[in-house]
C-alpha cells in the first residue's frame, strides 16, 4: 500500500471534488430541508436533518485536514482544526447577522458559506505566499476547511435553535453558551480523525469513517443541548439518531481498524539455548 | 450599518488586537511534545492551546471588568493581567514538575548565556536534547507574550462589545479572531520557539503581515454584526 502522509499529499480513494460536493451539498440540503420542513409544518422535529448536514460538512473538513496535514505543517493537527472553527464562527455569525439585516434570514447560510470560503482562500494564500509553506493544495484545503467549519457551526447550531433567524440563534445558542459545545465538538469532528489515524498506513476510508463517528457524537451532544431549547420529542429524536449513527460508525470503524492493524504473530518463547 | 469615524476606530482596535495576539505568540516559550518529555525548552504543549488558554483567561478578565465599567483602560489592563497570571501559573507549576518530578536542570539550547541572568547554559543541556524546562529568559519572555495576548484579546473584545452589546456573542467572535491569529503565528514559528532570544523570533515580520491581512478582513465584518434582538 502506498505511504500516506508523505510529501506529495495523502493518497485517496474518494476524489476530493466529489467529497466537496457531498459535504457542501449535504450540509446545504440538510440545513435548508430542516428549515423549510420545520417552518412549513410548524414543528421542530426535523432539526436532526441540519445536524446530519453538519456531519457531512465535518467529514469534508476532515478530508481537507488529511490532505493539508499530509504535507506536514509543523504545528500538529489540532491547530488547523481550531483555525477552521475560528474562521467558521466568524463566517457563520456574519452570514446570519447580515441576512437578518437584509431581511432574508434564509440566505444567511449562503452568505456565511461564501464569506468563509473566500476568507479561507485568502488565509491559504497568505500561508503559501507570505509564510512560504509552498503546499500546492493549501488554498484549496483551507477554502474547504473554512467552508466546512462554517457549515458545521450553522448546522449544529440549527439543531439547537430550531430556526435560522439570527435573533433565535443568538438567544438559544450564543447567549446560552451552547455554541462553545458546538465549537469544541465540531472542532473534534474535523481535526480528530486525521490526528488519530495519521501515520504511514493512514487510509482515507478509515479516517473518514472516524470523522463520521465523532460527528455522530457531536449530534448526541447538540441533542442534549436542545433538550433545553426545543421540544422534548425533537431533542430525543436527535439524541437517538445520534447514538444509533455513532454505534453504526463505531462498529464500521472498528472493522476498518482490524483490517489495517498489523498482524501479531506468536513466535513462542525464546529457545532454551538463547537464555 | 453606517461607517462613521467611531466604526473606523473600532476596526483599527480590532486590527491592533489581532496583531498583538500574532506577535505575542512569538514570545511564548512553546515546546510542544518534545518539551512534554523534557527534551526541549519551553512549556509542553502546542501554541494554539497556550495562546487560547491565556487569551481566553484575558477575555474573561476583560469581560468581568467590562461588566462594571465602559472605560477602555481598566478593561485592557485586566485582560492583560488575567492572561499574564494564567501563563505565569502554567509556567511556574510546569517548572515545579520539570524540577522536582522530572529532575531536569533548566537550560536553553538556543543561547550560550541566559540574556537575563547571564548564567552559562550549554553544560546543563543533556546530550541528545535541545534544552529542558523553563529558564529565566523563557519565563520573562512568556510573561511578555501573555501580556500582549491578553491585551490583544481585550482589544478585540472591547470594540465588539461596543458595537453589538452582547457579551457572549462578542466573546465567541473574539475567540474566532484570536484563534485565526494564533494559528497563523504558530505556523510562522513552525510549532516551537523559546522566546525573544530564539533565532526563530526574527521571523515575526512575516506573522505581522499575515495577521494584518487576515485581521483586516475579519475586522471589516466584525463591526457589522448586530447583537440580535
Amino acid at each position: 500500500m502506498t505511504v500516506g502522509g508523505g510529501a506529495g499529499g495523502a493518497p485517496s480513494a474518494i476524489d476530493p471534488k466529489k467529497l466537496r460536493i457531498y459535504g457542501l451539498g449535504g450540509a446545504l440540503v440538510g440545513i435548508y430541508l430542516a428549515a423549510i420542513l420545520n417552518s412549513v409544518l410548524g414543528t421542530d422535529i426535523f432539526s436532526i436533518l441540519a445536524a446530519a448536514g453538519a456531519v457531512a460538512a465535518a467529514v469534508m473538513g476532515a478530508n481537507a485536514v488529511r490532505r493539508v496535514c499530509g504535507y506536514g505543517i509543523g504545528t500538529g493537527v489540532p491547530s488547523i482544526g481550531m483555525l477552521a472553527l475560528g474562521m467558521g464562527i466568524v463566517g457563520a455569525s456574519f452570514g446570519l447577522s447580515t441576512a437578518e439585516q437584509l431581511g432574508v434570514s434564509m440566505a444567511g447560510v449562503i452568505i456565511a458559506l461564501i464569506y468563509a470560503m473566500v476568507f479561507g482562500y485568502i488565509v491559504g494564500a497568505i500561508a503559501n505566499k507570505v509564510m512560504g509553506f509552498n503546499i500546492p493544495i493549501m488554498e484549496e484545503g483551507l477554502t474547504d476547511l473554512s467552508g466546512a467549519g462554517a457549515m458545521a457551526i450553522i448546522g449544529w447550531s440549527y439543531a439547537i435553535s430550531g430556526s435560522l433567524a439570527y435573533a433565535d440563534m443568538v438567544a438559544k445558542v450564543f447567549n446560552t453558551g451552547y455554541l462553545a459545545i458546538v465549537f469544541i465538538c465540531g472542532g473534534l469532528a474535523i481535526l480528530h480523525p486525521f490526528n488519530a489515524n495519521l501515520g504511514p498506513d493512514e487510509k482515507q476510508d478509515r479516517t473518514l469513517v472516524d470523522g463520521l463517528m465523532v460527528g455522530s457524537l457531536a449530534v448526541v451532544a447538540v441533542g442534549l443541548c436542545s433538550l433545553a431549547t426545543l421540544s422534548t420529542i425533537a431533542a430525543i429524536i436527535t439524541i437517538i439518531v445520534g447514538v444509533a449513527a455513532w454505534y453504526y460508525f463505531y462498529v464500521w470503524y472498528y472493522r476498518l481498524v482490524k483490517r489495517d492493524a498489523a498482524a501479531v504473530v506468536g513466535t513462542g518463547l525464546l529457545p532454551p539455548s538463547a537464555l | 450599518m453606517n461607517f462613521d469615524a467611531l466604526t473606523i476606530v473600532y476596526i483599527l482596535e480590532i486590527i491592533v488586537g489581532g496583531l498583538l495576539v500574532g506577535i505575542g505568540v512569538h514570545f511564548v516559550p512553546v515546546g510542544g511534545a518534545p518539551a512534554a518529555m523534557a527534551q526541549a525548552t519551553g512549556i509542553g504543549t502546542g501554541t494554539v492551546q497556550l495562546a487560547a488558554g491565556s487569551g481566553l483567561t484575558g477575555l474573561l478578565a476583560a469581560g468581568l471588568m467590562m461588566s462594571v465599567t465602559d472605560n477602555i483602560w481598566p478593561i485592557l489592563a485586566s485582560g492583560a493581567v488575567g492572561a499574564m497570571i494564567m501563563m505565569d501559573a502554567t509556567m511556574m507549576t510546569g517548572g515545579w514538575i520539570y524540577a522536582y518530578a522530572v529532575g531536569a536542570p533548566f537550560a536553553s539550547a538556543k543561547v550560550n548565556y541566559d540574556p537575563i541572568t547571564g548564567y552559562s547554559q550549554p553544560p546543563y543541556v543533556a546530550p541528545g536534547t535541545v534544552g529542558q524546562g523553563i529558564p529565566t529568559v523563557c519565563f520573562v519572555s512568556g510573561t511578555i507574550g501573555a501580556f500582549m495576548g491578553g491585551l490583544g484579546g481585550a482589544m478585540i473584545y472591547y470594540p465588539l462589545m461596543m458595537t453589538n452589546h452582547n457579551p457572549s456573542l462578542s466573546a465567541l467572535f473574539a475567540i474566532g479572531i484570536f484563534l485565526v491569529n494564533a494559528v497563523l503565528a504558530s505556523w510562522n514559528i513552525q510549532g516551537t520557539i523559546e522566546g525573544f532570544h530564539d533565532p526563530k523570533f526574527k521571523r515575526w515580520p512575516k506573522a505581522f503581515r499575515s495577521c494584518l491581512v487576515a485581521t483586516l478582513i475579519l475586522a471589516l465584518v466584525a463591526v457589522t454584526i448586530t447583537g440580535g434582538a
Side-chain angles (χ1 to χ4, degrees), chain A residues 159-257:
Chain A
I160 295 175
S161 74
S163 154
L164 271 182
Y166 183 60
D168 285 345
M169 281 274 183
V170 169
K172 290 180 178 165
V173 188
F174 285 78
N175 290 352
T176 51
Y178 291 144
L179 191 65
I181 295 174
V182 172
F183 193 92
I184 286 302
C185 291
L188 279 181
I190 289 175
L191 71 87
H192 174 72
F194 187 70
N195 208 21
N197 290 294
L198 60 81
D201 66 339
E202 193 266 343
K203 303 242 172 66
Q204 191 192 28
D205 55 353
R206 181 157 50 96
T207 304
L208 295 188
V209 171
D210 193 4
L212 286 165
M213 185 181 94
V214 184
S216 312
L217 273 183
V219 173
V220 177
V222 297
L224 289 172
C225 296
S226 66
L227 272 175
T229 54
L230 296 184
S231 63
T232 315
I233 181 82
I236 289 186
I237 288 175
T238 309
I239 295 171
I240 289 175
V241 172
V243 170
W246 172 78
Y247 182 75
Y248 177 76
F249 291 121
Y250 177 77
V251 170
W252 189 358
Y253 178 64
Y254 186 67
R255 211 164 58 229
L256 293 177
V257 170

Side-chain angles (χ1 to χ4, degrees), chain A residues 166-167 169-177, chain B residues 66 157-174 225-229:
Chain A
Y166 183 60
M169 281 274 183
V170 169
K172 290 180 178 165
V173 188
F174 285 78
N175 290 352
T176 51
Chain B
M66 192 126 192
Y157 179 75
Y158 177 80
L160 289 173
M161 248 328 252
M162 295 309 278
T163 45
N164 63 37
H165 306 288
N166 184 333
S168 45
L169 181 67
S170 306
L172 284 156
F173 204 93
I225 290 178
T226 59

Side-chain angles (χ1 to χ4, degrees), chain B residues 189-211:
Chain B
I189 58 174
Q190 294 280 302
T192 61
I193 191 166
E194 279 194 10
F196 57 73
H197 58 293
D198 193 306
K200 279 185 189 174
F201 185 74
K202 293 195 180 72
R203 291 187 195 167
W204 71 266
K206 281 184 181 178
F208 185 89
R209 277 184 306 196
S210 312
C211 292

Side-chain angles (χ1 to χ4, degrees), chain A residues 43-65:
Chain A
T43 170
D44 55 8
I45 58 171
F46 293 104
S47 304
I48 175 66
L49 293 174
V55 174
V59 170
M60 179 188 91
N63 191 53
V65 168

Side-chain angles (χ1 to χ4, degrees), chain B:
Chain B
M1 187 67 218
N2 52 334
F3 274 81
D4 48 11
L6 202 57
T7 313
I8 292 167
V9 172
Y10 289 151
I11 291 176
L12 288 176
E13 279 173 354
I14 296 176
I15 292 173
V16 172
L19 288 173
L20 279 171
V21 173
I23 305 300
V25 166
H26 290 64
F27 282 90
V28 179
V30 187
M37 297 181 284
Q39 293 181 353
T41 314
I43 311 168
T45 186
T47 329
V48 181
Q49 284 81 354
L50 279 175
S54 68
L56 298 190
T57 323
L59 274 181
L60 281 178
L64 187 66
M65 183 57 82
M66 192 126 192
S67 64
V68 288
T69 175
D70 265 353
N71 188 340
I72 187 167
W73 301 111
I75 295 166
L76 294 184
S78 73
V81 171
M84 283 159 82
I85 291 173
M86 184 272 170
M87 188 65 79
D88 281 3
T90 309
M91 289 192 290
M92 193 167 67
T93 47
W96 289 342
I97 292 170
Y98 286 125
Y100 300 117
V102 183
F106 294 1
S108 161
K110 297 283 166 67
V111 284
N112 285 332
Y113 293 96
D114 188 317
I116 291 175
T117 59
Y119 294 154
S120 173
Q121 302 292 313
Y124 302 99
V125 177
T129 71
V130 280
Q132 309 89 26
I134 301 153
T136 312
V137 63
C138 294
F139 197 99
V140 173
S141 184
T143 310
I144 299 171
F147 172 81
M148 292 173 76
L151 192 66
M155 218 163 199
I156 298 169
Y157 179 75
Y158 177 80
L160 289 173
M161 248 328 252
M162 295 309 278
T163 45
N164 63 37
H165 306 288
N166 184 333
S168 45
L169 181 67
S170 306
L172 284 156
F173 204 93
I175 291 169
I177 300 180
F178 198 93
L179 282 175
V180 170
N181 285 299
V183 172
L184 279 174
S186 78
W187 284 355
N188 189 41
I189 58 174
Q190 294 280 302
T192 61
I193 191 166
E194 279 194 10
F196 57 73
H197 58 293
D198 193 306
K200 279 185 189 174
F201 185 74
K202 293 195 180 72
R203 291 187 195 167
W204 71 266
K206 281 184 181 178
F208 185 89
R209 277 184 306 196
S210 312
C211 292
L212 185 65
V213 178
T215 320
L216 176 68
I217 305 166
L218 293 173
L220 286 177
V221 305
V223 291
T224 67
I225 290 178
T226 59

